[in-house]
Amino acid sequence: MAIESVKVGMPAAFPDTLEGLVEFKRRSIEYLEYLREVNSRPDATRVVPDIEGWSCYIGTTRTTILKYSKCRSEEWQEFIDIMKNSIAAAKKQLAFTCKIPPVIAAMDLTNNHDYVNSNEFHLVPEEKILKESTISREEIAARYVAFKDKPEELDLEN
């Protein structure tokens, strides 16, 4: 696949026209059919669908596909999203069944499919906590004085 792509030379340019979109879709669908055909052979090494393989097959680059997804019409964007979603779904199934290493899958989903991989977490205070944190010193002192002799009437909710 890579040899054929390199033999062609310059990356394929799919013009920002209806004809360009039709050709882009045709070549992209050919890629999926190619994967199905290769992977259906009992003696073949399985080919995992990915963005780089897709771009290589259609004769362009991953960066060009990214540009198309950001700068072209909604039709282009939707088709690219469908392709990327299909590729991500296949890779996730392979990762879930331990057919590809989870670390590789996580890196790929982060870099090519807009997933976020982070070990950070952010605590968001609840409304009540925010309300309590805005009580002034004077209000706290007034509550203390009002309830110091009547602890059973202490309203902890407010």
Side-chain angles (χ1 to χ4, degrees):
M1 192 169 58
I3 292 170
E4 291 304 314
S5 181
V6 173
K7 279 183 184 178
V8 172
M10 294 298 289
F14 295 95
D16 193 3
T17 62
L18 179 58
E19 294 79 18
L21 176 59
V22 168
E23 181 63 11
F24 182 78
K25 285 181 174 183
R26 185 187 70 75
R27 294 286 293 147
S28 297
I29 292 166
E30 274 182 17
Y31 170 66
L32 297 175
E33 291 169 340
Y34 165 79
L35 291 175
R36 180 175 56 195
E37 190 272 321
V38 167
N39 290 333
S40 68
R41 295 184 213 150
D43 62 327
T45 301
R46 300 288 183 245
V47 179
V48 176
D50 67 355
I51 303 297
E52 292 81 5
W54 170 33
S55 62
C56 187
Y57 186 90
I58 67 174
T60 192
T61 66
R62 170 181 169 276
T63 307
T64 299
I65 291 174
L66 180 63
K67 286 178 190 172
Y68 289 171
S69 74
K70 293 187 183 295
C71 301
R72 299 256 171 126
S73 72
E74 191 173 318
E75 285 182 286
W76 282 85
Q77 293 169 10
E78 284 182 20
F79 182 76
I80 291 168
D81 284 347
I82 290 168
M83 282 294 293
K84 287 175 70 175
N85 191 69
S86 299
I87 290 168
K91 284 189 281 194
K92 284 178 71 177
Q93 285 302 310
L94 292 169
F96 291 156
T97 57
C98 299
K99 301 223 167 105
I100 60 174
V103 170
I104 300 298
M107 287 174 48
D108 185 72
L109 291 169
T110 301
N111 292 330
N112 290 319
H113 299 281
D114 303 322
Y115 285 78
V116 176
N117 184 17
S118 174
N119 60 358
E120 295 179 15
F121 64 93
H122 303 276
L123 297 176
V124 179
E126 293 181 25
E127 184 72 57
K128 181 180 173 189
I129 295 170
L130 284 175
K131 183 179 173 186
E132 288 292 322
S133 66
T134 60
I135 296 174
S136 70
R137 289 180 181 183
E138 291 77 20
E139 288 176 297
I140 293 172
R143 284 184 182 186
Y144 175 75
V145 169
F147 294 108
K148 73 177 180 180
D149 295 326
K150 302 177 189 174
E152 66 280 353
E153 294 180 21
L154 183 60
D155 182 8
L156 297 176
E157 295 298 314
N158 290 316

